[in-house]
Structure formats: structure tokens, C-alpha cells
Amino acid sequence: MTDRYTVISADCHAGADLLDYRPYLEKRYHDEFDAWAATYVNPYEDLLADTADRNWNSERRLAELEADGIVAEVVFPNTVPPFFPSGSLMAPAPTAEDFERRWAGLRAHNRWLADFCTAAPGRRAGVFQILLNDVEEAVKEVRSAAEAGLKGGLLLPGTPPGSGLPELYSSAYDPLWAVCAELGVPVNHHAGSASPPLGDEPAARAVFMVETTWFSHRALWHLVFGGAFRRHPELRLVLTEQGSGWIPGVLEMLDYYHGRLVAAATRASTAESKFGAGLAARMGAAPSQVWRDNCFVGASFMRPHEVPLRDRIGVDKIMWGSDYPHDEGTYPYTREGLRNAYARVPRDEVAAMIGGNAARVYGFDLDLLDPIAAKVGPTVEEIAEPLGEPPADATSPAFAKGASVRVW
């Protein structure tokens, strides 16, 4: 057994530089793209900075991740794809023509991502994008992306209030769950794409911080109560960068309502029986059982106060992530972040949470990755040592005041 951990980040981000998407667009969109790109102004400061090429510079990316002790990554999108004004899945299109162009833009991103993953064989699992306004097109893109080798699975958009989309519990999405279950494609729901617009008042930022993860959590109970896992028992859901400490309490709450509604459905002529009618058969197993059978958490830079909950969450369910190249990520202090969270945690549990579980969910080959980790991975002894003071210039919330409180 090696004395180093094989670290796989289950939460990284990448995308092409804007003009580099052009070759991946269907030719019939090239003129429209040229006109759009000529006037487009990127709203994201980090995509205009000198470090923006971390999103697409394959060699730089590999070097920096290895220097940080990471040998493989699950790659979520980050840059703006063609015909989108901003973040791809948070920008409702006003017309059918806009939807068509944005679909073309997402397909271009997915094609680019397949090539980007191929540039580092076995070390990147790309997460492809879809829109939910046309389920038939989404199903086609799932099949196309899977055939292209994008092992990271599907990025499930949110359905925030006001989006005009059916809620995620709707049977309208059943063909999507069916194809993902059939092909073994993980369904990922990343924080940030499910919140409704909140306006520009100063309080909006604080409200967003309070509510954004809750809106992302909704995917769990929508799919559970909608019966997606009952109808498609091979379906896998991954909730990424939404924290993990909330999971035990929410599962208890969902179990309570599940049991209450099932029981109410058996009682005729009661007020609650109306709420339970038709649900008992549709929902299937209790939410906590569904979690054990079908769900995972991309816990990203897991905070120390969350670690004592790992048995209640499921050690086999937790996947750590660095969030590279975001400022809130742990780079270049991933080793310190791992020490801060996992010091004194048993070695086999650490190995599962920071690499083994991600390898299992996303299909990474540990026979390929372990020899690389033997050269660049953090040592078991190193991670076992409590951190003490965090690096003075660390920007990740993993090191934030209060994040190190332990509840043993």
C-alpha cells in the first residue's frame, strides 16, 4: 500500500476561451457567432484576468493540480458558451430562436470538453450541459455526450420559480432519467443554477448566500417524491458544492413527511389524506433509503465541522473537491485544506472521501492514477497532522473563521 493518497477532485471547472468555441459550432451558426462575439462583453472578472487560461490551458492545469496533490478531476463548466449572456444555465432565453442558438452553444461546449478531456487521458471526467426546455433534445445530447466519452455525466439545470419550466418532480422529465439510468450517466446538480433572480438591492447578495444552497437541495426531494428513483433504480444523483452538514437533518425531515403522507393515504376522509393520495405508490422507498441507494454528495472543500457527520451522511457517499480554479477553491493550499478537514480521521475513510468514491462514481481507473499519486499525492502522515493556523493568504471558505470548529 502506498504511503500517499490518490486525490480526485469531484468539483473543478473549465471551459474554452470564447473564440475557441467557434470550431465546435455547427457551420450554419458561424456568421451569427462572429456577429455575437464581436460585441460580447464578458461579465466575469475572473474570466478577464491573467489567470483565466486555467480554464482551458491543459498543460498549466495539469501542472498546477499535480503541484496541489491532485491527480484527476471532475470537470464542471465555467466559461460562457456561445450565445449566452452569462452563466449558461442561469440565463432564460426570451425566444424560441434564442433557445435554438443556446442549444447550439451548449453542444459546442460539450464537443470542446470531450477534446479537453482527451488531452489528459483518464484524468478528466467532463460534465456536459443540457437545457430542460426540450426533453427530447436533452435525451439526444445525453446519448451523444456519453458516446463522446464524457464520463462526468449530466449537469442538471435548476428550475427556479419564474423559469417557466416544469418542476423537477414532473413526469415530463422521465425520458431524461430513463436514458441516464440506462447509460449509467450520473446526474449532477451543482449549486448556483437553481436560485431565482433576486434583483439589485444590497440585501439581495445576502439573501442569495442564505438561499442558494437550499434551492439547489430541492432537486433531492423533487426527484425522491416524484418517484424518479422508484421508476429508475439505477439512476444516480450527485449534489455538488452545496455543503454536506445539512444532509442528515434533511433526510430525517424527508423521512418524516414520507411516512406521514404514506400513512395519511390509508385513512379515508381526513384532511391529510388528500395530500397523501397517489403518493404512496409513486414515491417508493423512504428518502433515507433512496439516499443510501442512489445519491452522493460532491462535498467540495469539506469543512471540519461537517466531518464528524460522515457516518450519518455515509462515508461511501462523500466526494471531496478543490473547486479549482475558483478563488473560493483550495488551490494552492489543498494539502492544508485536507489537513484542516481530515486530520485524525482513519486512513481508509480519508482515502474513500478524497478519491476512492469519485473513482467509483465517475469511472476513474485507479490502476492508472495510483502510480501518479505515488509521485505527487499528499502523504498519509502529512494529512494526519492537524493544521493549526491556515495560510495567511488562503481565500477558500474551507479556512474561514468558524469552519474549523469540530463536533466530536
mmCIF file of all heavy atoms in Angstrom, residues 134-159:
data_model
loop_
_atom_site.group_PDB
_atom_site.id
_atom_site.type_symbol
_atom_site.label_atom_id
_atom_site.label_comp_id
_atom_site.label_asym_id
_atom_site.label_seq_id
_atom_site.Cartn_x
_atom_site.Cartn_y
_atom_site.Cartn_z
ATOM 1 N N ASP A 134 -36.487 21.369 -23.824
ATOM 2 C CA ASP A 134 -36.830 20.373 -24.837
ATOM 3 C C ASP A 134 -36.235 19.041 -24.377
ATOM 4 O O ASP A 134 -35.047 18.779 -24.578
ATOM 5 C CB ASP A 134 -36.269 20.786 -26.198
ATOM 6 C CG ASP A 134 -36.755 19.894 -27.341
ATOM 7 O OD1 ASP A 134 -36.933 18.684 -27.101
ATOM 8 O OD2 ASP A 134 -36.952 20.405 -28.456
ATOM 9 N N VAL A 135 -37.058 18.218 -23.753
ATOM 10 C CA VAL A 135 -36.562 16.977 -23.152
ATOM 11 C C VAL A 135 -36.056 16.019 -24.224
ATOM 12 O O VAL A 135 -35.061 15.312 -24.021
ATOM 13 C CB VAL A 135 -37.668 16.320 -22.294
ATOM 14 C CG1 VAL A 135 -37.222 14.955 -21.777
ATOM 15 C CG2 VAL A 135 -38.023 17.236 -21.118
ATOM 16 N N GLU A 136 -36.717 15.991 -25.381
ATOM 17 C CA GLU A 136 -36.273 15.103 -26.452
ATOM 18 C C GLU A 136 -34.858 15.457 -26.908
ATOM 19 O O GLU A 136 -34.014 14.570 -27.111
ATOM 20 C CB GLU A 136 -37.244 15.187 -27.628
ATOM 21 C CG GLU A 136 -36.907 14.234 -28.771
ATOM 22 C CD GLU A 136 -37.912 14.284 -29.899
ATOM 23 O OE1 GLU A 136 -39.036 14.772 -29.674
ATOM 24 O OE2 GLU A 136 -37.572 13.831 -31.015
ATOM 25 N N GLU A 137 -34.584 16.759 -27.040
ATOM 26 C CA GLU A 137 -33.238 17.188 -27.408
ATOM 27 C C GLU A 137 -32.240 16.871 -26.306
ATOM 28 O O GLU A 137 -31.078 16.514 -26.561
ATOM 29 C CB GLU A 137 -33.217 18.682 -27.718
ATOM 30 C CG GLU A 137 -33.846 19.052 -29.040
ATOM 31 C CD GLU A 137 -33.133 18.417 -30.218
ATOM 32 O OE1 GLU A 137 -31.890 18.518 -30.290
ATOM 33 O OE2 GLU A 137 -33.802 17.799 -31.068
ATOM 34 N N ALA A 138 -32.675 17.009 -25.043
ATOM 35 C CA ALA A 138 -31.799 16.687 -23.916
ATOM 36 C C ALA A 138 -31.411 15.211 -23.937
ATOM 37 O O ALA A 138 -30.245 14.858 -23.706
ATOM 38 C CB ALA A 138 -32.488 17.045 -22.601
ATOM 39 N N VAL A 139 -32.368 14.341 -24.228
ATOM 40 C CA VAL A 139 -32.085 12.904 -24.298
ATOM 41 C C VAL A 139 -31.083 12.620 -25.403
ATOM 42 O O VAL A 139 -30.130 11.837 -25.224
ATOM 43 C CB VAL A 139 -33.387 12.112 -24.511
ATOM 44 C CG1 VAL A 139 -33.092 10.660 -24.863
ATOM 45 C CG2 VAL A 139 -34.256 12.187 -23.261
ATOM 46 N N LYS A 140 -31.244 13.263 -26.554
ATOM 47 C CA LYS A 140 -30.291 13.075 -27.656
ATOM 48 C C LYS A 140 -28.888 13.511 -27.235
ATOM 49 O O LYS A 140 -27.894 12.853 -27.567
ATOM 50 C CB LYS A 140 -30.736 13.882 -28.879
ATOM 51 C CG LYS A 140 -31.982 13.357 -29.573
ATOM 52 C CD LYS A 140 -32.338 14.246 -30.757
ATOM 53 C CE LYS A 140 -33.616 13.791 -31.443
ATOM 54 N NZ LYS A 140 -33.994 14.716 -32.560
ATOM 55 N N GLU A 141 -28.799 14.625 -26.497
ATOM 56 C CA GLU A 141 -27.486 15.119 -26.090
ATOM 57 C C GLU A 141 -26.843 14.203 -25.056
ATOM 58 O O GLU A 141 -25.623 14.040 -25.043
ATOM 59 C CB GLU A 141 -27.598 16.548 -25.556
ATOM 60 C CG GLU A 141 -26.265 17.237 -25.336
ATOM 61 C CD GLU A 141 -25.446 17.403 -26.610
ATOM 62 O OE1 GLU A 141 -26.010 17.302 -27.727
ATOM 63 O OE2 GLU A 141 -24.225 17.629 -26.480
ATOM 64 N N VAL A 142 -27.648 13.599 -24.189
ATOM 65 C CA VAL A 142 -27.104 12.618 -23.239
ATOM 66 C C VAL A 142 -26.440 11.474 -23.998
ATOM 67 O O VAL A 142 -25.312 11.065 -23.686
ATOM 68 C CB VAL A 142 -28.210 12.084 -22.311
ATOM 69 C CG1 VAL A 142 -27.679 10.909 -21.481
ATOM 70 C CG2 VAL A 142 -28.721 13.186 -21.384
ATOM 71 N N ARG A 143 -27.119 10.956 -24.994
ATOM 72 C CA ARG A 143 -26.560 9.835 -25.759
ATOM 73 C C ARG A 143 -25.297 10.267 -26.513
ATOM 74 O O ARG A 143 -24.300 9.539 -26.545
ATOM 75 C CB ARG A 143 -27.602 9.287 -26.736
ATOM 76 C CG ARG A 143 -28.781 8.614 -26.049
ATOM 77 C CD ARG A 143 -29.641 7.821 -27.028
ATOM 78 N NE ARG A 143 -30.765 7.188 -26.357
ATOM 79 C CZ ARG A 143 -30.684 6.046 -25.684
ATOM 80 N NH1 ARG A 143 -29.516 5.402 -25.622
ATOM 81 N NH2 ARG A 143 -31.748 5.525 -25.097
ATOM 82 N N SER A 144 -25.332 11.464 -27.094
ATOM 83 C CA SER A 144 -24.181 11.954 -27.838
ATOM 84 C C SER A 144 -22.978 12.174 -26.924
ATOM 85 O O SER A 144 -21.845 11.787 -27.259
ATOM 86 C CB SER A 144 -24.551 13.261 -28.547
ATOM 87 O OG SER A 144 -23.445 13.816 -29.200
ATOM 88 N N ALA A 145 -23.213 12.781 -25.778
ATOM 89 C CA ALA A 145 -22.111 13.064 -24.850
ATOM 90 C C ALA A 145 -21.527 11.784 -24.268
ATOM 91 O O ALA A 145 -20.311 11.661 -24.106
ATOM 92 C CB ALA A 145 -22.605 13.975 -23.736
ATOM 93 N N ALA A 146 -22.393 10.831 -23.947
ATOM 94 C CA ALA A 146 -21.902 9.555 -23.428
ATOM 95 C C ALA A 146 -21.051 8.845 -24.477
ATOM 96 O O ALA A 146 -19.991 8.283 -24.169
ATOM 97 C CB ALA A 146 -23.065 8.683 -22.986
ATOM 98 N N GLU A 147 -21.505 8.888 -25.729
ATOM 99 C CA GLU A 147 -20.743 8.266 -26.808
ATOM 100 C C GLU A 147 -19.397 8.956 -27.006
ATOM 101 O O GLU A 147 -18.399 8.314 -27.374
ATOM 102 C CB GLU A 147 -21.557 8.318 -28.103
ATOM 103 C CG GLU A 147 -20.917 7.589 -29.271
ATOM 104 C CD GLU A 147 -21.791 7.590 -30.516
ATOM 105 O OE1 GLU A 147 -23.005 7.872 -30.396
ATOM 106 O OE2 GLU A 147 -21.255 7.307 -31.606
ATOM 107 N N ALA A 148 -19.347 10.275 -26.733
ATOM 108 C CA ALA A 148 -18.105 11.040 -26.874
ATOM 109 C C ALA A 148 -17.144 10.812 -25.711
ATOM 110 O O ALA A 148 -16.030 11.330 -25.731
ATOM 111 C CB ALA A 148 -18.427 12.526 -27.000
ATOM 112 N N GLY A 149 -17.581 10.058 -24.701
ATOM 113 C CA GLY A 149 -16.695 9.717 -23.600
ATOM 114 C C GLY A 149 -16.700 10.681 -22.432
ATOM 115 O O GLY A 149 -15.773 10.654 -21.612
ATOM 116 N N LEU A 150 -17.727 11.523 -22.319
ATOM 117 C CA LEU A 150 -17.806 12.457 -21.195
ATOM 118 C C LEU A 150 -18.349 11.725 -19.965
ATOM 119 O O LEU A 150 -19.559 11.622 -19.762
ATOM 120 C CB LEU A 150 -18.683 13.655 -21.567
ATOM 121 C CG LEU A 150 -18.042 14.595 -22.607
ATOM 122 C CD1 LEU A 150 -19.027 15.660 -23.051
ATOM 123 C CD2 LEU A 150 -16.787 15.238 -22.037
ATOM 124 N N LYS A 151 -17.432 11.214 -19.148
ATOM 125 C CA LYS A 151 -17.794 10.344 -18.035
ATOM 126 C C LYS A 151 -18.314 11.084 -16.810
ATOM 127 O O LYS A 151 -18.799 10.453 -15.867
ATOM 128 C CB LYS A 151 -16.586 9.493 -17.644
ATOM 129 C CG LYS A 151 -16.168 8.496 -18.722
ATOM 130 C CD LYS A 151 -15.051 7.593 -18.217
ATOM 131 C CE LYS A 151 -14.700 6.533 -19.244
ATOM 132 N NZ LYS A 151 -13.626 5.622 -18.761
ATOM 133 N N GLY A 152 -18.190 12.415 -16.807
ATOM 134 C CA GLY A 152 -18.654 13.164 -15.645
ATOM 135 C C GLY A 152 -20.152 13.230 -15.524
ATOM 136 O O GLY A 152 -20.680 13.567 -14.470
ATOM 137 N N GLY A 153 -20.850 12.930 -16.608
ATOM 138 C CA GLY A 153 -22.303 12.899 -16.552
ATOM 139 C C GLY A 153 -22.937 14.220 -16.919
ATOM 140 O O GLY A 153 -22.322 15.130 -17.479
ATOM 141 N N LEU A 154 -24.209 14.318 -16.573
ATOM 142 C CA LEU A 154 -25.093 15.420 -16.946
ATOM 143 C C LEU A 154 -25.078 16.503 -15.870
ATOM 144 O O LEU A 154 -25.111 16.199 -14.676
ATOM 145 C CB LEU A 154 -26.508 14.854 -17.103
ATOM 146 C CG LEU A 154 -27.692 15.803 -17.120
ATOM 147 C CD1 LEU A 154 -27.735 16.546 -18.423
ATOM 148 C CD2 LEU A 154 -28.983 15.030 -16.894
ATOM 149 N N LEU A 155 -25.019 17.769 -16.283
ATOM 150 C CA LEU A 155 -25.253 18.876 -15.363
ATOM 151 C C LEU A 155 -26.727 19.234 -15.443
ATOM 152 O O LEU A 155 -27.206 19.746 -16.460
ATOM 153 C CB LEU A 155 -24.388 20.079 -15.728
ATOM 154 C CG LEU A 155 -24.594 21.320 -14.841
ATOM 155 C CD1 LEU A 155 -24.351 20.997 -13.369
ATOM 156 C CD2 LEU A 155 -23.700 22.460 -15.293
ATOM 157 N N LEU A 156 -27.451 18.944 -14.388
ATOM 158 C CA LEU A 156 -28.893 19.182 -14.349
ATOM 159 C C LEU A 156 -29.162 20.642 -14.009
ATOM 160 O O LEU A 156 -28.789 21.111 -12.938
ATOM 161 C CB LEU A 156 -29.538 18.274 -13.299
ATOM 162 C CG LEU A 156 -31.048 18.423 -13.104
ATOM 163 C CD1 LEU A 156 -31.798 17.983 -14.357
ATOM 164 C CD2 LEU A 156 -31.500 17.615 -11.890
ATOM 165 N N PRO A 157 -29.812 21.388 -14.911
ATOM 166 C CA PRO A 157 -30.143 22.772 -14.580
ATOM 167 C C PRO A 157 -31.186 22.822 -13.466
ATOM 168 O O PRO A 157 -31.936 21.870 -13.234
ATOM 169 C CB PRO A 157 -30.733 23.316 -15.891
ATOM 170 C CG PRO A 157 -30.335 22.345 -16.945
ATOM 171 C CD PRO A 157 -30.222 21.014 -16.269
ATOM 172 N N GLY A 158 -31.243 23.954 -12.795
ATOM 173 C CA GLY A 158 -32.313 24.169 -11.839
ATOM 174 C C GLY A 158 -33.589 24.592 -12.543
ATOM 175 O O GLY A 158 -33.590 24.912 -13.738
ATOM 176 N N THR A 159 -34.679 24.575 -11.806
ATOM 177 C CA THR A 159 -35.959 25.076 -12.309
ATOM 178 C C THR A 159 -36.478 26.112 -11.319
ATOM 179 O O THR A 159 -37.466 25.883 -10.617
ATOM 180 C CB THR A 159 -36.985 23.932 -12.474
ATOM 181 O OG1 THR A 159 -37.138 23.248 -11.223
ATOM 182 C CG2 THR A 159 -36.515 22.942 -13.521
#
